[in-house]
Amino acid sequence: MSSKPILHRDDPKAEPLVGNVKVTRDDWLNVAMDVLISDGVEQVKVLNLADRMAVSRSSFYWYFKSRQQLLDALLDRWQATNTAALIAQAEAPAETITAAVCNVHRCVVNTALFDTALDFAVRDWARRSGKVRRMLDQSDARRLAALRAMFARHGYEAVEAETRARVLYYMQIGYDLAQLNEPLATRLSLVPHYLYVFTGVEPRPEEIEEFSAYAKRCWEGGSSHEPA
């Protein structure tokens, strides 16, 4: 469901660029993000990005002092999207724990909320950078804390809340890493059983119906405009 970034100049909905400006700061960030996901951090180079956008690399320095500043901006965006979204979904109001887990799983089906490919790109980057490894560890800790608090709000004792949070979080990482490419219908048919495994509680039929409808809208619409 992912697509190549559209440059500002090629977007008919965007305001026209003025003067000698051919690309924006967001263009540099978006193309850098695309390269990070597809080719790894080693290929996020100023000349490489400039070639992809058919501009001179000198325009890069209108927006960034250095390549490192660009890399830092990529990490900031990752934190502000993926990590923030998962925490927000875990903290969203829910009448039952199964509804709460459905809120979290909106991150799984809506790439506008949580970009799994970006998360894996950052995890790969962390194998080569101690700084990124520390940021990733901090992010994982924040995500797990939010999931643990979610279970605790619904009456689970501390150890059980911790355990269920870990199962929910690490299972999803492994599930995505496996790249099963299973049909949506197959995945949705298992949702009630996953919810029971994660929570020990049978989900309500209306919760399954609501989540399934949300997932179908995301898949049919490419996830880009579906609200949380």
Side-chain angles (χ1 to χ4, degrees):
M1 292 186 287
S2 62
S3 58
K4 295 293 182 182
I6 299 175
L7 299 181
H8 184 104
R9 68 189 184 215
D10 299 327
D11 185 353
K13 299 177 183 178
E15 290 291 327
L17 296 173
V18 296
N20 294 324
V21 177
K22 295 182 179 179
V23 292
T24 65
R25 184 178 189 275
D26 277 346
D27 287 334
W28 283 99
L29 269 173
N30 292 338
V31 173
M33 190 77 72
D34 186 59
V35 171
L36 173 66
I37 291 171
S38 62
D39 301 324
V41 68
E42 294 86 356
Q43 296 304 312
V44 182
K45 300 176 181 178
V46 177
L47 184 57
N48 186 18
L49 303 180
D51 287 346
R52 286 177 179 243
M53 294 186 289
V55 297
S56 67
R57 63 178 177 178
S58 61
S59 64
F60 171 84
Y61 297 100
W62 298 350
Y63 306 110
F64 301 96
K65 293 180 180 179
S66 64
R67 176 177 180 266
Q68 186 58 54
Q69 190 177 58
L70 171 65
L71 296 180
D72 289 343
L74 290 176
L75 290 170
D76 288 343
R77 180 177 285 191
W78 164 71
Q79 291 275 31
T81 53
N82 282 16
T83 298
L86 192 146
I87 292 172
Q89 291 303 110
E91 293 176 347
E95 187 175 343
T96 66
I97 184 58
T98 45
V101 174
C102 283
N103 285 338
V104 172
H105 274 168
R106 290 188 174 208
C107 291
V108 176
V109 298
N110 188 348
T111 56
L113 274 180
F114 189 99
D115 189 333
T116 300
L118 172 59
D119 231 52
F120 283 137
V122 172
R123 290 183 186 281
D124 183 65
W125 185 359
R127 296 188 180 99
R128 300 163 174 79
S129 167
K131 173 186 174 181
V132 178
R133 177 74 253 180
R134 289 189 294 274
M135 291 184 66
L136 178 60
D137 289 344
Q138 292 168 2
S139 175
D140 282 339
R142 290 176 59 204
R143 297 176 189 186
L144 279 168
L147 294 173
R148 182 171 61 247
M150 178 187 75
F151 280 104
R153 285 197 305 275
H154 289 274
Y156 292 82
E157 296 295 332
V159 173
E160 186 174 5
E162 173 73 26
T163 304
R164 290 188 182 278
R166 287 172 174 247
V167 170
L168 177 60
Y169 185 57
Y170 293 126
M171 187 288 298
Q172 191 58 54
I173 292 175
Y175 198 99
D176 292 331
L177 185 61
Q179 297 181 321
L180 299 179
N181 295 320
E182 62 190 355
L184 178 61
T186 299
R187 194 165 195 176
L188 291 179
S189 71
L190 296 173
V191 167
H193 309 287
Y194 287 140
L195 289 173
Y196 181 75
V197 169
F198 292 142
T199 67
V201 176
E202 292 285 355
R204 297 175 180 177
E206 60 268 27
E207 294 169 350
I208 302 303
E209 292 172 7
E210 181 181 0
F211 179 78
S212 296
Y214 178 89
K216 289 174 182 177
R217 290 196 302 271
C218 288
W219 279 64
E220 291 166 359
S223 299
S224 57
H225 302 293
E226 185 66 31

